[in-house]
Amino acid sequence: MQAGKPILYSYFRSSCSWRVRIALALKGIDYETVPINLIKDGGQQFSKDFQALNPMKQVPALKIDGITIHQSLAIIEYLEETRPTPRLLPQDPKKRASVRMISDLIAGGIQPLQNLSVLKQVGEEFQLTWAQNAIISGFNALEQILQSTAGTYCVGDEVTMADLCLVPQVANAERFKVDCTPYPTISSINKRLLVLEAFQVTHPCRQPDTPTELRA
Amino acid sequence: MQAGKPILYSYFRSSCSWRVRIALALKGIDYETVPINLIKDGGQQFSKDFQALNPMKQVPALKIDGITIHQSLAIIEYLEETRPTPRLLPQDPKKRASVRMISDLIAGGIQPLQNLSVLKQVGEEFQLTWAQNAIISGFNALEQILQSTAGTYCVGDEVTMADLCLVPQVANAERFKVDCTPYPTISSINKRLLVLEAFQVTHPCRQPDTPTELRA
């Protein structure tokens, strides 16, 4: 199978898509975006065509090297193994464990509880509190963990996969009106990351499918 | 820091703890179990001592090589990198991507939605339906994915990290009375794995903290 330019199926606001967009940007991988609008038409992720691509009916999915990968961390690990420069996992196995622990905490312990499909099930009345609880409980733990792993960024002074998870999750926290003042470590790392080019060009307010009123 | 025998903080019924127990068994790593009862005393994971160990107040956590790692997949990846034999990730990056995709689908897309702390929030009346919905929606996707990745096991013919996630999740499905007949691929892989020694000795019904009435 000959693969052309990688294709990223993405939604501007999806925090999991943003993680992968940052990885692609940092590694300088040129790709094409196919927007999947999670709201329009009852959710384009439910279309037959997209379900064939990702039976989980979620973004992101990445077509690359003749295969389609979904699950953002699996995509990032694949990019890391096949395009190792610049690296997103440290060399030291103990530091790699810290990076994966933080990434999994966000990708498995926070985001799944406040994503669109779960909030739909919770019901409109309780959505905000539900999402806030998930984020606050995760951030309480994360703040404590980062105090022993962080340097300039989440783990030491290099940008790692953990940072790719942190920034989009903080954006979700802001969207759900979580007060981030009890999280000075999270907030200051987030601030330092947001000024980096790879985080700026991949920001939800600058995507091909960002609605005009949300563009910046 | 001199490390003695690794210590696994585990709960017999926790599916995430079971994943790690299988990895330790397959790799022949001798370890000590410290049971954390998620129900007794209002939940021993909420104790000050345990929170200092894992601020997420979840099992498993593994003390090894002078560090403490939590998040089951981060633990398994660390074991894989430091004790590579027998391997739990294939050599081919594309197959590794499939393994991680399936693992993340279960660890991030199914289990977090049906774990104890979330079900508590959902309320007793809706717990069973909520858990079943999460598992059914995940298994619908997983069955389809496995049809293109599976051999004897989830990805090809070697036991991988994906299998370590599958078996405990099927056990949860059975506990929540999910009808697994629509999932012949999942069911037959699960059956083939359950007879392997590493899956048998680590089974929830054979742990130091398994209550007498549930032992087998």
Side-chain angles (χ1 to χ4, degrees):
Chain A
M1 253 186 294
Q2 187 43 43
K5 213 188 254 191
I7 299 174
L8 179 67
Y9 298 82
S10 166
Y11 179 53
F12 76 101
R13 191 178 257 159
S14 144
S15 63
C16 304
S17 300
W18 192 6
R19 293 175 198 152
V20 174
R21 292 197 302 260
I22 305 168
L24 290 164
L26 283 169
K27 289 182 179 288
I29 302 167
D30 190 23
Y31 67 98
E32 197 182 307
T33 300
V34 173
I36 301 295
N37 192 311
L38 302 185
I39 293 167
K40 209 174 127 186
D41 312 328
Q44 296 175 340
Q45 73 277 26
F46 300 115
S47 76
K48 256 203 161 151
D49 282 358
F50 189 73
Q51 279 195 50
L53 209 74
N54 181 3
M56 271 302 264
K57 306 167 218 163
Q58 290 172 337
V59 287
L62 184 70
K63 265 195 190 168
I64 190 168
D65 304 338
I67 56 170
T68 304
I69 317 175
H70 20 103
Q71 299 293 335
S72 60
L73 299 188
I75 296 172
I76 295 168
E77 294 264 8
Y78 178 80
L79 294 176
E80 181 72 3
E81 292 185 343
T82 56
R83 281 95 172 153
T85 315
R87 65 171 183 233
L88 297 176
L89 285 167
Q91 266 183 310
D92 172 37
K94 292 181 185 178
K95 286 196 179 154
R96 292 165 76 87
S98 291
V99 170
R100 290 196 174 107
M101 188 166 74
I102 293 166
S103 304
D104 288 352
L105 189 160
I106 296 171
I110 305 179
Q111 193 282 332
L113 298 175
Q114 50 95 88
N115 80 4
L116 194 61
S117 65
V118 169
L119 293 183
K120 264 190 205 161
Q121 281 183 71
V122 170
E124 217 163 317
E125 197 183 341
F126 305 107
Q127 280 180 1
L128 190 67
T129 319
W130 177 282
Q132 287 175 338
N133 284 347
I135 295 169
I136 289 169
S137 146
F139 275 18
N140 285 343
L142 189 56
E143 177 70 19
Q144 200 174 320
I145 291 165
L146 288 174
Q147 280 166 15
S148 65
T149 63
T152 312
Y153 305 118
C154 283
V155 179
D157 298 322
E158 283 174 37
V159 174
T160 66
M161 181 164 71
D163 301 300
L164 279 50
C165 296
L166 184 83
V167 167
Q169 187 57 59
V170 173
N172 279 352
E174 288 166 356
R175 203 149 64 82
F176 289 116
K177 303 181 201 314
V178 170
D179 173 18
C180 283
T181 50
Y183 312 116
T185 317
I186 292 176
S187 300
S188 61
I189 295 171
N190 181 61
K191 223 170 147 183
R192 283 193 286 276
L193 287 161
L194 271 177
V195 298
L196 304 180
E197 200 198 342
F199 290 74
Q200 295 220 335
V201 297
T202 59
H203 195 282
C205 72
R206 258 172 235 115
Q207 293 315 295
D209 57 333
T210 309
T212 320
E213 66 276 18
L214 297 175
R215 298 194 80 83
Chain B
M1 250 186 294
Q2 185 45 42
K5 213 190 256 192
I7 299 175
L8 179 67
Y9 298 82
S10 166
Y11 180 53
F12 76 103
R13 192 178 255 161
S14 144
S15 62
C16 304
S17 299
W18 191 5
R19 293 174 199 152
V20 175
R21 293 198 301 259
I22 305 168
L24 291 164
L26 282 170
K27 289 182 179 289
I29 302 166
D30 191 22
Y31 66 98
E32 198 183 306
T33 300
V34 172
I36 301 295
N37 193 312
L38 302 187
I39 293 167
K40 210 173 128 185
D41 312 327
Q44 296 174 342
Q45 72 277 27
F46 300 115
S47 77
K48 256 204 161 150
D49 282 356
F50 189 73
Q51 279 194 50
L53 209 75
N54 181 3
M56 271 301 265
K57 306 168 216 163
Q58 289 172 338
V59 287
L62 184 69
K63 264 197 190 168
I64 189 166
D65 303 338
I67 56 170
T68 304
I69 317 174
H70 21 103
Q71 299 293 334
S72 60
L73 299 188
I75 297 173
I76 295 168
E77 294 264 6
Y78 178 79
L79 294 176
E80 181 72 1
E81 291 184 343
T82 56
R83 282 93 171 154
T85 314
R87 66 171 181 233
L88 297 176
L89 284 168
Q91 266 183 311
D92 172 37
K94 292 182 184 178
K95 286 196 179 155
R96 292 164 78 86
S98 291
V99 169
R100 289 195 175 108
M101 185 166 76
I102 294 166
S103 304
D104 289 351
L105 188 160
I106 296 171
I110 305 180
Q111 195 281 333
L113 298 175
Q114 50 93 86
N115 80 4
L116 194 60
S117 65
V118 168
L119 293 183
K120 264 190 204 160
Q121 281 184 70
V122 171
E124 217 164 317
E125 195 184 343
F126 305 106
Q127 281 181 0
L128 189 68
T129 318
W130 177 283
Q132 288 175 337
N133 284 347
I135 295 169
I136 288 168
S137 147
F139 275 17
N140 285 343
L142 189 56
E143 177 70 19
Q144 200 175 320
I145 291 164
L146 289 174
Q147 281 166 15
S148 64
T149 62
T152 310
Y153 305 118
C154 283
V155 178
D157 297 323
E158 281 174 38
V159 173
T160 66
M161 182 165 70
D163 300 301
L164 278 51
C165 296
L166 184 83
V167 166
Q169 187 57 59
V170 173
N172 279 352
E174 289 166 353
R175 203 148 64 83
F176 289 116
K177 303 182 202 313
V178 171
D179 173 17
C180 282
T181 50
Y183 312 115
T185 316
I186 292 177
S187 300
S188 61
I189 295 172
N190 181 61
K191 222 169 148 184
R192 282 192 286 275
L193 287 162
L194 271 177
V195 298
L196 303 181
E197 198 197 343
F199 290 74
Q200 296 220 334
V201 296
T202 58
H203 195 282
C205 71
R206 258 172 236 117
Q207 293 315 295
D209 58 333
T210 309
T212 321
E213 65 276 18
L214 297 175
R215 298 195 78 85

